[in-house]
Amino acid sequence: MTQERKRHQILVVGGDFDLTQQVKQALSGNGFVVQTAYSHRDAIFALENEVYNAALVDGAMFDRISGEPTISALKRFQHVPMILFSGNGKPPIDSSPVQMVIGGLDKRTLANSVRGVLGIEQQAAQTKVAARVDEVQTLFALGRTLTEVLELSEVLNRIVEAARNLAHAEEGMILLPDDEIGQLYLRAKVGIDEAAARNFRIKTDDTLAGHVFSSGKPALIGAQGPQKVKTEYFVNSLLYVPILLKNKTIGVLGVNNKNTEDVFDEHQQELLMNLASYAAIAIENARIHEESLRKTRELQSLVEASQVVNSSVSLDRTLPNICEQLVQLLRVNWSEIYDWHHESNQLRLLARYQHTLWRPGRGPTIKLERYPALRAALEENRYLQVSRDGQRSEETDSLERGGIHTLLTLPIQTDKQVLGVVRAFFIHPPAKSFDTETMQRLHTLGLESLMMVAGATSQYASQHVFRLAEEINRVVEADWCEMALLSPNSQSLNVQASVGRGVWLESPRPAIDLNSFPDLQEAVVNQIPINQRSDGEKLGKGARAVLDVASSQILLGLPLVQRGQAQGLVLFGDARSSRLFTDREIDLGRAIVGQAATALENAHLVHDLELSLEELKDTHDRLIQTARLSAMGELAAAVAHQINNPLTTILVDTEMMIQDEPENSRNFRSLLAISRAGKRAAGVVRRLLATARPTEENAPIEAIDVVDTIEGILSLVRQHIERDHIKVIGHWPEIKLPPVYTVQGQLDDIWLNMLLNAHDALIGRPDAEVGIEVLYQPDDLYIDVVIWDNGPGIPEHIQSEIFKPFFTTKPVGQGTGLGLHISRQVVERVGGSITLQSAANKGTRFIVRLPVKKGEK
Amino acid sequence: MSHVMAVDDDLEVLETLGRVLERENFEVTLARSGSQALSLIDRRVPDLVILDIIMPEMDGITVCRRLRANARYITLPVLFLTAKGSTDDIVDGLDAGADDYVIKPFELPELRARVHALLRRGAREKMPPSNAVLQINDLKLDSDTYQVYLDDETIQLTSTEHRLLRYLMEHVNQALSPGHLLQAVWEYPPNTGDPDLVRAHVRNLRAKIENEPDRKYIRTIHGVGYMIAT
């Protein structure tokens, strides 16, 4: 709202050069533009050709030719008020045409006389009153709003703006002290260009502003004309007032003019002093408010962080939570927790949380010439999925180093032009496959986020990018994702954002070799924090490497300490800020890292506890199992006794009757049926006994010939199976096999069980076959026994169930559900395994692998 | 006509056994308990006893031990019947001196084969062996008394143990499979009988004659069978 002052053209006419200059000097700078005429004719010429608001004429001046007094000659310019002055004290010859005659040539007299003839004295007075009203109103309004505004930057900006307006100055500024380095720095400004502002730091001891700051007295410079003052730059005029709070200077409020010749006066100084006292209160209010906000936020963060950190004892949840809390607390982009592996002297990454949005061109660069598969995918606009299990390449190597299992890269296209890519990172094999729908959703999100990152600078935009990225992570179930823009020459990808989290509890884990980085080693071993800027002078090798990899500006490293012992390192970094961390932030970080150490230890303990519990549960299960089996065994024996006696009578007496009965009689077939039913019942009891036989604790381990056991069992069951029109095929090598060391009779039980199971599955099927084959080559470490059938197969969903105890598909009473369970226990006891291959309607193959001992005959 | 005694507490089974044996034209005596069986045998010794293991009051194993404790009954063939069919029962039974066992429910031909084999052997036992005393190294077997003499020790064998050891000694340096021994010693038809029977008897025999660490007479040839070497 600077008022354009009306400039008055004044002509000074005088024959004496020094005198004329004196008058000119005295008038200049008071809002007058002063021209001079040193001769009678010059004066007439000037007035004829230029418009002047007034003329000051030396009364002693004549036309050198005609002798006519100049003042008389100028009479005809009636519209120009004339002021007659006298340089030699003589009275003017003819004062009729002039409005004023002045004797003194002091500045004040001259100015007042000019103002007088121009009628601006009154005008000025009126303007002054109006200006005062304005000023008071400005101050009042400012004072009122300042009490409402609590945000410091806003407060300061308003004060500076008001200061400039009140003083009609070109530039306004507030300088606040930076106590650490003893300098004043530019905290708020108006009218000052960016480049000047960036380097604007003023020493407090020997400059003008410094003097104002240390003395608490205002400085007003400029009434004496242009001059260089110690302000680090040229000004025409300048006014600095101290911002005083309780008699202590807390800053400097200043205005200056660099271009205009206007000078500041004491009135403006008084205004600025008034404004400064408002400012002091407002700054203090804002500071207190900010302090309380910060404290509240810190407290809240601390409370939240502790809650989060301690809320979960599962490592894979605790770790990223800690990282996230640290990121929020210190308001950085990322945080990583490493544990220190003493033997290898490595820091191994446990967890990372990252919400980074780089300034354009400041993120990591992916050179496409190094990744041919990626380049091809971009050219063909198709997605690329690389897993570290794949064929070794530059791509898989980088996954291995980064502890990444799978990387999914999707080119993002708009108007047939590839804009960039979205890259989704998976630490473990992806849980779901990437169907068309998922990829489309990913493309939509990717496009939106790339558009955002391309122009994202505001806080809002970055939050939006983070939300989109989190959505991407959710959609593909990735651990984290990146957005990268394709460079204009299509030779590289420039990563713009990286968002997500990761936990590494198993190898491969990204690692930092401390032997190569003495600064990190020192930080861990001596438990001292790292606080570095990328442009810092004493930037260590390790800190530089970390900053480079993360494309970050600042790094804070806090040792992870448990009971006084260094356990690892927590790193934080930021890609945008370039300030160092304050002591207070480091303390806060330490507090949380301390909690993290405890939480980490708890989680480790719980993890171990869970393992022990699991083992205990296994043992418990086995004990229950044994108890049940033992009970089963006793029950089976009792049942067998109870059933086998009547069965003996049924079977034997029926057999005798069959022998006596003519084969064509009606009773003969009935008797055969009774016999068959009895034998079936006998089979069930036999199987019950075979499977539920309590394990003999101290049964001796003997060298058993596998083929002998198979022959024995085949001789026992062959007839039984063949009677149901099932072909039995046995096949084994001619050579003598090395023995298997196990308890006598246990292998027999396995064959019996599996053959009888196959028999049950095959009953009633055409061309049914069951086989038992022994596969062994000299020098093999195993004997494989394959029991196969061409039955209906075992449905896939129960394949994993069939070895569980008491699992049976047979009707009640026909199976105990223990056969395969016990078989597997027996085989595992000798160090072998049972595997199953089964396909619907093609049959089932059980492969029993038994280890043999070499050199045994 | 051979005289066969059947002992079982289960009346149904007992009578079935009676019918089976009568069809074979044996003279049959039935007993419903162990004590009844012992008193009947005291009065008249049968040619074969078929003995159920699980019986109230006195079980079959006790009955068998009592019989073997009496020199009169050392050669009396005993065939166990068991409804449990567990190895423990069988081992216990053979330890007690039984000659063979049959698991209930049995098939008629199986029982018939075992009974006839045991009766044949029993008849041969009663004749004096051609060569009463056999000796290989320090192991001496007297077939008159079913006793083994080792140093100063005298060890009493059951009839089946005696027959098994004698057969092994008669076929010195030959590895004999369980199947072969079942046919030769127990006189079973081919593919009848349980190799476990042979193993159990070998185990019992070893426990008696290889009772000192340095005594090793019967060698197990893995995958083949058993052998006594000179």
Side-chain angles (χ1 to χ4, degrees), chain A residues 542-796:
Chain A
R544 179 179 298 282
V546 172
L547 283 168
D548 281 352
V549 168
S551 291
S552 289
Q553 302 287 316
I554 49 168
L555 177 71
L556 178 65
L558 297 176
L560 194 63
V561 180
Q562 279 170 12
R563 296 198 198 90
Q565 300 285 310
Q567 302 291 333
L569 191 65
V570 182
L571 296 177
F572 315 79
D574 200 277
R576 290 185 165 235
S577 173
S578 57
R579 75 207 157 86
L580 283 175
F581 291 88
T582 63
D583 289 347
R584 168 133 193 99
E585 283 174 320
I586 293 176
D587 284 348
L588 265 178
R590 274 186 159 162
I592 291 297
V593 169
Q595 295 234 16
T598 314
L600 208 59
E601 193 185 11
N602 286 344
H604 273 302
L605 284 175
V606 169
H607 188 68
D608 292 349
L609 205 64
E610 276 171 354
L611 286 184
S612 311
L613 254 178
E614 226 160 86
E615 266 171 44
L616 205 67
K617 202 173 154 290
D618 276 359
T619 313
H620 184 66
D621 284 353
R622 272 202 298 279
L623 277 174
I624 289 182
Q625 202 52 46
T626 311
R628 279 173 90 175
L629 286 177
S630 167
M632 277 290 291
E634 281 169 30
L635 183 68
V639 167
H641 183 234
Q642 293 301 322
I643 293 178
N644 281 339
N645 276 337
L647 275 179
T648 304
T649 298
I650 292 170
L651 280 171
V652 174
D653 276 288
T654 310
E655 191 66 33
M656 286 189 290
M657 288 173 79
I658 288 170
Q659 285 176 4
D660 295 345
E661 197 70 17
E663 285 195 19
N664 52 2
S665 78
R666 229 189 309 172
N667 282 343
F668 186 76
R669 268 176 294 161
S670 301
L671 290 169
L672 279 185
I674 294 170
S675 176
R676 268 200 310 274
K679 281 176 185 166
R680 232 181 72 202
V684 170
V685 176
R686 189 170 59 233
R687 237 171 295 155
L688 183 69
L689 275 175
T691 52
R693 183 182 296 164
T695 322
E696 294 156 69
E697 287 288 318
N698 300 314
I701 303 293
E702 294 176 50
I704 306 288
D705 185 306
V706 173
V707 172
D708 274 2
T709 60
I710 293 173
E711 282 178 326
I713 290 300
L714 273 185
S715 70
L716 198 71
V717 296
R718 185 184 284 275
Q719 267 191 321
H720 172 69
I721 296 174
E722 284 177 344
R723 207 161 37 209
D724 290 306
H725 312 291
I726 298 165
K727 198 171 166 192
V728 180
I729 297 161
H731 188 76
W732 41 83
E734 300 273 313
I735 54 164
K736 183 83 199 150
L737 302 188
V740 170
Y741 286 81
T742 179
V743 174
Q744 180 75 254
Q746 287 190 334
L747 292 183
D748 312 54
D749 285 351
I750 298 175
W751 318 141
L752 181 69
N753 243 299
M754 292 191 169
L755 290 171
L756 292 178
N757 280 344
H759 164 257
D760 293 347
L762 288 168
I763 286 178
R765 290 179 68 90
D767 303 321
E769 286 182 356
V770 57
I772 181 161
E773 266 180 68
V774 181
L775 306 174
Y776 176 78
Q777 295 289 325
D779 297 330
D780 278 359
L781 296 172
Y782 291 94
I783 294 173
D784 281 342
V785 180
V786 182
I787 297 95
W788 58 266
D789 67 61
N790 60 356
I794 299 169
E796 204 174 325

Side-chain angles (χ1 to χ4, degrees), chain B residues 16-219:
Chain B
T16 296
L17 282 170
R19 286 192 288 277
V20 169
L21 296 170
E22 274 164 14
R23 284 170 78 95
E24 301 296 313
N25 290 319
F26 298 133
E27 186 187 346
V28 180
T29 304
L30 301 178
R32 290 202 57 189
S33 72
S35 46
Q36 190 189 4
L38 285 176
S39 67
L40 286 171
I41 291 168
D42 263 346
R43 265 178 262 162
R44 178 166 168 232
V45 184
D47 297 309
L48 170 69
V49 179
I50 300 174
L51 191 52
D52 185 28
I53 292 184
I54 303 166
M55 291 187 292
E57 291 168 39
M58 186 188 290
D59 64 17
I61 288 171
T62 313
V63 174
C64 189
R65 289 223 172 88
R66 293 267 180 92
L67 288 174
R68 293 299 185 225
N70 188 331
R72 270 184 74 198
Y73 309 128
I74 265 194
T75 60
L76 172 57
V78 175
L79 174 66
F80 266 136
L81 283 182
T82 168
K84 280 205 218 162
S86 81
T87 317
D88 286 349
D89 291 344
I90 294 160
V91 170
D92 285 352
L94 297 178
D95 268 349
D99 296 278
D100 200 356
Y101 62 90
V102 169
I103 297 170
K104 291 197 249 183
F106 46 82
E107 305 224 359
L108 191 51
E110 192 188 354
L111 181 73
R112 272 207 301 253
R114 307 277 175 102
V115 167
H116 282 289
L118 285 172
L119 284 173
R120 268 201 307 279
R121 275 168 44 197
R124 208 171 307 133
E125 301 290 326
K126 287 172 184 160
M127 291 185 283
S130 51
N131 193 353
V133 178
L134 273 178
Q135 181 157 10
I136 292 169
N137 300 335
D138 58 339
L139 179 68
K140 194 194 271 181
L141 174 66
D142 184 344
S143 294
D144 283 339
T145 57
Y146 295 173
Q147 283 172 339
V148 168
Y149 305 106
L150 277 171
D151 303 329
D152 297 335
E153 203 180 340
T154 305
I155 297 158
Q156 182 66 54
L157 302 181
T158 67
S159 105
T160 302
E161 285 160 6
H162 158 256
R163 284 167 56 77
L164 177 61
L165 183 59
R166 187 173 173 92
Y167 192 83
L168 288 169
M169 288 172 81
E170 281 168 355
H171 299 81
V172 75
N173 293 331
Q174 286 177 38
L176 304 166
S177 73
H180 177 100
L181 291 169
L182 279 172
Q183 288 181 47
V185 178
W186 278 266
E187 301 185 1
Y188 284 164
N191 294 323
T192 319
D194 189 341
D196 270 350
L197 182 67
V198 181
R199 284 191 272 268
H201 276 290
V202 168
R203 193 157 52 213
N204 289 348
L205 198 51
R206 278 181 173 152
K208 285 185 178 174
I209 64 174
E210 296 180 358
N211 57 350
E212 299 282 329
D214 58 332
R215 290 178 180 170
K216 287 274 178 259
Y217 303 105
I218 304 170
R219 285 173 54 189

Side-chain angles (χ1 to χ4, degrees), chain A residues 467-541:
Chain A
R467 270 197 299 276
L468 286 169
E470 292 288 16
E471 181 64 11
I472 286 172
N473 290 340
R474 203 188 56 74
V475 166
V476 294
E477 292 176 16
D479 292 292
W480 74 93
C481 67
E482 287 181 359
M483 287 106 194
L485 289 167
L486 188 63
S487 67
N489 61 4
S490 301
Q491 293 304 309
S492 58
L493 287 167
N494 300 321
V495 180
Q496 294 296 129
S498 181
V499 179
R501 48 176 64 194
V503 182
W504 288 263
L505 295 176
E506 297 150 12
S507 29
R509 290 165 58 188
I512 298 173
D513 185 5
L514 286 181
N515 295 326
S516 312
F517 301 116
D519 55 330
L520 300 183
Q521 164 100 7
E522 195 194 350
V524 173
V525 175
N526 298 334
Q527 302 178 14
I528 47 173
I530 299 168
N531 188 7
Q532 296 275 13
R533 276 168 33 171
S534 60
D535 57 354
E537 284 170 11
K538 290 179 184 168
L539 188 58
K541 199 176 154 195

